[in-house]
Amino acid sequence: MANLKLTGVRKSYGAVDVLHGIDLDIRSGEFVVFVGPSGCGKSTLLRVIAGLEEITGGTMTIDGRVVNAESPKQRGIAMVFQSYALYPHMTVYDNMAFGLTLEKGTPKSEIDRRVRHAASILQLEPYLERLPKALSGGQRQRVAIGRAITRDPKIFLFDEPLSNLDAALRVQTRIEIARLHERMHGTTMIYVTHDQVEAMTLADRIVVLNGGRVEQVGRPLDLYADPDNLFVARFIGSPAMNILPVEGEGAGRLRLGPAGSIAVTPGSRLHLGVRPEDLRLVDDAARALVSGTVTLVEPLGEVTLVYVDLGDGGEPLVAKLPGAVHLERGTSVHLAAEPAALRLFDEAGHAVRAERRAAA
Ligand SMILES: Nc1ncnc2c1ncn2[C@@H]1O[C@H](COP(=O)(O)OP(=O)(O)OP(=O)(O)O)[C@@H](O)[C@H]1O
Ligand SMILES: [Mg+2]
């Protein structure tokens, strides 16, 4: 059980500022996922939390205790990396026990208890006497996780632990990590991934990072439904939310759903966001949000992704339509969306939320 609090945490390498003041409050037992583009500082933030890197500024506390100067071990943190270097000449058992045997004073019986406990959590019992080369990639990754579990950490850090696995194994190991978190209730976990599905399914809360800053922190479905800004709107969800430029022609109110609307001033420039799955085909241009020409059709079975050129010189819009839809390149289409599904952002990219009218 450990609560982790970061206040104004900064990290520079020489003149290169990588983290620009990170504030985060991670609750005991929470599963938090860091996402963000390559180079935004996810691994650096994990390494800083682990104590593998010194911070340049700010404060980090665990359960209220300032840990800025503590080693990873003193912090009670274990980290699992993307490339899980197991010792090839050691059995699974010895790989998991190795870190503990290095420490003076942990009795053999205690080491044995911890290794067997980790093996049972990870269903590795049948493989304890095997060498790593006789394991699948997923099993090896579980041994690497097992090695972290034997250290009985209060906080677990994972840096893209599944990215070397093939698609099927990723899914299986992802489910195992979710179970692991359940079984080790109370253990705080922080997990970095590029994978949207891992982020959405594993996280109690997602932290979206961009250029060394936090863009938004929230529950997965809240980020998906109600992003604070254009960056998060584009980053969470695949294919990404469509963003269309809109300009207020006259003063008035733009209706967003049955109970909400926003005031539009003449000449104001806004960005309108609509998720691919919220678009549907309509016959009539008058009822459409947008009209254009199909440039690409990707049938995925369950759904078909249809890319539509709106003739405005911008990116094609993507619609996620039912799998049975038959459309060809060059076809003209009209697409509509429910007003409640539309999201608006101001010129600076901040969400403009509808004013809710009291239900009549
Ligand atoms: N030791 C270092 N010296 C200088 N710059 C560094 C060092 N380590 C990392 N950086 C820089 O810090 C930035 C963040 O790197 P980091 O590895 O944290 O990114 P990331 O979000 O984990 O990216 P990825 O998704 O590609 O793993 C990058 O621009 C990187 O070049
Ligand atoms: Mg990284």
Side-chain angles (χ1 to χ4, degrees), residues 276-294:
E277 68 270 26
D278 290 325
L279 289 165
R280 62 175 198 286
L281 288 171
V282 290
D283 296 334
D284 171 9
R287 283 167 52 218
L289 176 71
V290 289
S291 300
T293 310
V294 174

Side-chain angles (χ1 to χ4, degrees), residues 13 16 18 36-45 53 159-160 192 194:
Y13 295 103
V16 186
V18 177
S38 184
C40 71
K42 303 179 294 294
S43 297
T44 304
L45 185 54
E53 304 271 359
D159 196 355
E160 306 202 46
V192 171
H194 271 106

Side-chain angles (χ1 to χ4, degrees), residues 253-264:
R253 299 193 72 81
L254 188 63
R255 193 164 69 83
L256 291 174
S261 69
I262 68 151
V264 181

Side-chain angles (χ1 to χ4, degrees), residues 343-359:
R343 295 289 168 265
L344 272 179
F345 303 90
D346 66 16
E347 215 168 343
H350 302 299
V352 181
R353 284 168 176 127
E355 296 157 25
R356 297 278 151 193
R357 272 186 259 132

